[in-house]
Amino acid sequence: AIDPKFEENRDVAEQHEGHRVWGPVDEPEQLGIHGTHVAVDFDICIADGACLEDCPVDVFEWTDTLDHPESEIKADPAKEEQCIDCMLCVDVCPVDAIDVDPG
Ligand code: SF4
Ligand code: F3S
Ligand code: ZN
């Protein structure tokens, strides 16, 4: 499961589509955690898609991650600023790849 304390335990490695990527990043095998308010651990995501289907405000978009061992697309929190903290995505992800921190 995603580490809920990733902000303490990781450093920002880069930016992607306007959000932070928390490292370590070593492409294509290791991709880190995308987003902060809505955070998706790309190294855990298996592209189940429930988060994209269920988010009421369409926070997530697919992004290509060719040659990643778990899946070659990931749910990117492209519009994390739109999140209304309903926690549906956290509940439906079968591999607990998502952390939402209403902060
Ligand atoms: Fe979407 Fe709700 Fe998840 Fe926020 S908590 S990203 S609104 S499903
Ligand atoms: Fe990935 Fe979980 Fe969404 S596996 S696609 S973050 S439901
Ligand atoms: Zn991203």
Side-chain angles (χ1 to χ4, degrees), residues 44-54 62 70-71 73-75 92-95:
I44 296 175
C45 174
I46 56 171
D48 175 84
C51 57
L52 273 96
E53 288 173 25
D54 290 0
W62 290 122
E70 296 298 337
S71 60
I73 53 172
K74 305 290 178 184
V92 296
C93 178
V95 290

Side-chain angles (χ1 to χ4, degrees), residues 25-82:
V25 173
D26 184 13
E27 294 178 8
E29 297 89 1
Q30 197 171 22
L31 300 175
I33 292 175
H34 282 233
T36 304
H37 180 142
V38 181
V40 180
D41 192 325
F42 273 24
D43 295 309
I44 296 175
C45 174
I46 56 171
D48 175 84
C51 57
L52 273 96
E53 288 173 25
D54 290 0
C55 177
V57 291
D58 295 331
V59 162
F60 303 98
E61 291 177 3
W62 290 122
T63 194
D64 292 326
T65 56
L66 197 65
D67 293 332
H68 187 268
E70 296 298 337
S71 60
E72 296 200 328
I73 53 172
K74 305 290 178 184
D76 199 30
K79 297 175 187 153
E80 66 175 344
E81 71 282 354
Q82 293 184 12

